[in-house]
């Protein structure tokens, strides 16, 4: 059993990380973290990232994933059919 203190979303990661740094009293490291992250990574949109992974997955498996986690999809505003359509077959 896991106990979660936070759930972060890719779409709101900047805002969510602001909260995490504040919550953990690490604000003094926040700018260094962002500088290091931006230097090493090319930003990728959540749409392109999702498409990259879901396009390698069969639609039937994405549908099963959606059915299992439907409440989570709805709670966080993800449209299940959109991700199913990204799959193949």
């Amino acid at each position: 059993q896991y106990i979660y203190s936070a759930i972060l979303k890719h779409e709101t990661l900047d805002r969510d990380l602001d909260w995490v740094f504040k919550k953990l009293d690490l604000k003094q490291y926040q700018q260094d973290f962002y500088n290091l992250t931006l230097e090493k990574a090319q930003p990728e949109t959540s749409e392109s990232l999702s498409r990259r992974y879901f396009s390698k997955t069969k639609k039937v498996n994405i549908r099963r994933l959606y059915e299992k986690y439907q409440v989570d999809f709805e709670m966080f505003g993800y449209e299940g059919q959109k991700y199913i359509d990204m799959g193949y077959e």
Side-chain angles (χ1 to χ4, degrees), residues 5-73:
S5 299
I7 298 174
L8 291 85
K9 287 178 67 176
H10 188 267
E11 295 86 350
T12 58
L13 192 57
D14 287 341
R15 186 179 68 211
D16 295 347
L17 284 174
D18 288 345
W19 178 86
V20 169
F21 277 104
K22 183 177 179 183
K23 181 78 171 170
L24 297 176
D25 195 27
L26 297 171
K27 292 286 281 180
Q28 68 271 25
Y29 302 109
Q30 187 171 0
Q31 191 59 50
D32 290 338
F33 173 80
Y34 285 133
N35 290 341
L36 182 63
T37 303
L38 290 174
E39 287 173 10
K40 293 190 176 202
Q42 282 286 12
E44 185 172 11
T45 66
S46 61
E47 178 76 23
S48 65
L49 188 61
S50 297
R51 193 164 300 287
R52 182 159 47 107
Y53 289 111
F54 282 104
S55 68
K56 298 175 184 177
T57 307
K58 289 184 177 182
K59 289 183 182 193
V60 67
N61 291 333
I62 300 170
R63 186 178 312 282
R64 288 182 189 141
L65 179 77
Y66 172 73
E67 289 169 358
K68 182 170 184 166
Y69 294 102
Q70 184 174 355
V71 171
D72 298 275
F73 273 81

Side-chain angles (χ1 to χ4, degrees), residues 1-6:
Q1 182 78 17
Y2 294 102
I3 299 172
Y4 296 99
S5 299

